[in-house]
Amino acid sequence: MSSQAKEIEALPPTVQDFKAPDLPDNKPVLFFHPYNFHAQKVLMVFYEKKIDFFPYVVDLCNGEQYSNWFLNLNPKGDVPVLQDGAFVIPSSSHIINYVESKFRGGSNLSLKPPHNSKEFDQMLVFEQAIARLPVGTLSLGSFMHDDLKLVPKAPFIGPVRQSCLKNNEKVLDLLRHSVDDHSTNKAALQHKLDIQVRRHELASSREEFQKVLDAVRHFLLYVEQELSAQAPRSEWLTGDELSVADISLGLLLYRLYQLGFENYFWAFGKLPQVEAYFLRFRQRESFHRLQPSNFAILREMWMRTPGNYKLGAGAGFLGMAMFAAFAHK
């Protein structure tokens, strides 16, 4: 093995028996990871609605999502999960519905138009279309196919990019071990493993991955047409007020931007309305607040790494952490 390969080689994954954390009981607790697409969506909703909550970063890299205490919250081992007193709500869509119902009025901005309105129906169309796009496959495949000539943004460049690929099988191993170790949640975890394996197959095949890219392109063309047809012109998808659909679309565009797809899809005049929309979205205060650099996640995980490994493991460790979140769900 070359010296560079050794530098980015990550520790073999092990499913650790994490202990249940001590959590506050006077506010909602959000279990998430800052690089996870679905968790980012919930976070931005919380920030837009100015909800006071306790953030708990789940260590996806070392398998905390498959620990006994977390599987008691969500047998599927997925983030995000919201715990509000006796209520435990998994999945981003259910969490958003819950907080939209509970936190309304006053300083809590509504992110859904009134039911039975044209704007509500428009929001649902966009939400359903984005939900069908395989974001995890898109992320994984971008690391595999150099012919796309992408322009990825830091930190998804150089050795970190290589390390994300190296750690693909290791992340799957975490899940395989969990299927073997948990008889109670075996069916749910096996279903998740099947999805992850299929995702890897789709991402690995250049032909199949092109179908994913074509689906994204067709959706963005639809968005371009809808934005161009607005009369009068408005800031967001369903009007002048930000909605849940805007958060989903904005974060999808940001994920594509991080992976280096902006030139492939919308830059240089390809989709001018989409490009202008993305620039508006990036100016939101809530968007800036959810950036992973605002969290202690990487520092906390780094502190758990053995001291004699830290010297040469920076890229591998970071790659493992980010890949676990990017490919998760």
Side-chain angles (χ1 to χ4, degrees):
M1 183 182 293
S2 67
S3 59
Q4 183 182 18
K6 289 180 180 178
E7 287 181 355
I8 64 174
E9 184 75 8
L11 287 173
T14 58
V15 179
Q16 301 182 15
D17 187 18
F18 289 86
K19 295 181 179 179
D22 293 324
L23 300 169
D25 56 9
N26 60 344
K27 63 177 65 176
V29 178
L30 180 66
F31 302 92
F32 73 105
H33 190 288
Y35 281 109
N36 178 268
F37 177 79
H38 301 278
Q40 288 178 337
K41 180 177 176 180
V42 171
L43 277 172
M44 193 162 176
V45 167
F46 275 44
Y47 293 146
E48 286 286 344
K49 294 180 71 68
K50 295 180 171 56
I51 296 173
D52 182 25
F53 70 101
F54 181 84
Y56 182 90
V57 178
V58 179
D59 187 354
L60 302 183
C61 175
N62 288 311
E64 188 174 15
Q65 70 274 32
Y66 306 127
S67 63
N68 289 329
W69 78 264
F70 189 80
L71 289 176
N72 287 333
L73 285 178
N74 185 6
K76 294 181 178 180
D78 284 335
V79 294
V81 176
L82 179 67
Q83 184 172 16
D84 187 16
F87 295 101
V88 176
I89 305 98
S91 93
S92 57
S93 59
H94 292 157
I95 294 171
I96 291 170
N97 287 338
Y98 176 81
V99 299
E100 270 291 293
S101 175
K102 179 175 180 178
F103 299 96
R104 54 170 55 182
S107 62
N108 299 133
L109 175 71
S110 177
L111 293 171
K112 291 187 177 183
H115 284 262
N116 301 320
S117 67
K118 180 184 72 173
E119 291 78 13
F120 185 84
D121 292 340
Q122 290 175 329
M123 180 199 70
L124 287 182
V125 169
F126 285 111
E127 277 286 276
Q128 292 167 0
I130 295 171
R132 288 194 292 267
L133 296 175
V135 177
T137 303
L138 190 65
S139 301
L140 176 57
S142 72
F143 297 132
M144 295 181 170
H145 304 293
D146 293 336
D147 64 293
L148 291 169
K149 302 187 185 304
L150 302 177
V151 188
K153 312 302 180 294
F156 304 104
I157 56 178
V160 168
R161 196 172 175 84
Q162 298 173 41
S163 184
C164 284
L165 283 177
K166 278 179 167 289
N167 287 315
N168 174 45
E169 194 60 41
K170 296 176 182 179
V171 171
L172 287 175
D173 279 344
L174 284 172
L175 186 49
R176 290 189 182 101
H177 290 314
S178 298
V179 171
D180 294 335
D181 295 342
H182 293 90
S183 58
T184 304
N185 302 296
K186 194 178 188 69
L189 294 175
Q190 182 63 55
H191 179 66
K192 181 176 180 178
L193 176 60
D194 293 341
I195 292 174
Q196 295 285 357
V197 170
R198 177 56 179 159
R199 177 175 296 164
H200 183 267
E201 292 172 351
L202 290 175
S204 300
S205 166
R206 185 63 181 85
E207 181 179 357
E208 292 298 318
F209 188 63
Q210 187 60 49
K211 294 178 182 178
V212 173
L213 297 179
D214 291 344
V216 174
R217 186 192 302 277
H218 290 152
F219 171 69
L220 293 181
L221 283 171
Y222 171 74
V223 172
E224 179 76 12
Q225 293 168 0
E226 290 297 302
L227 291 174
S228 299
Q230 286 179 344
R233 187 63 52 84
S234 56
E235 288 277 303
W236 306 109
L237 291 174
T238 62
D240 291 327
E241 300 297 329
L242 190 84
S243 75
V244 172
D246 292 296
I247 292 176
S248 297
L249 174 59
L251 290 176
L252 172 65
L253 294 175
Y254 182 61
R255 177 58 56 92
L256 293 170
Y257 172 79
Q258 282 184 303
L259 298 173
F261 279 110
E262 73 276 15
N263 293 345
Y264 186 89
F265 285 121
W266 68 76
F268 302 111
K270 291 186 179 74
L271 299 175
Q273 295 298 330
V274 169
E275 185 171 17
Y277 176 96
F278 182 47
L279 291 176
R280 290 196 298 274
F281 179 80
R282 293 177 66 185
Q283 294 173 4
R284 303 288 296 190
E285 179 186 353
S286 58
F287 171 78
H288 291 284
R289 289 186 65 187
L290 65 78
Q291 297 310 301
S293 58
N294 293 339
F295 296 96
I297 170 63
L298 296 179
R299 179 180 179 275
E300 290 176 2
M301 295 171 70
W302 182 254
M303 293 297 291
R304 300 172 189 168
T305 305
N308 60 356
Y309 178 73
K310 289 181 179 178
L311 184 61
F317 179 83
L318 184 59
M320 182 69 173
M322 291 188 299
F323 184 86
F326 260 49
H328 189 72
K329 196 170 178 180

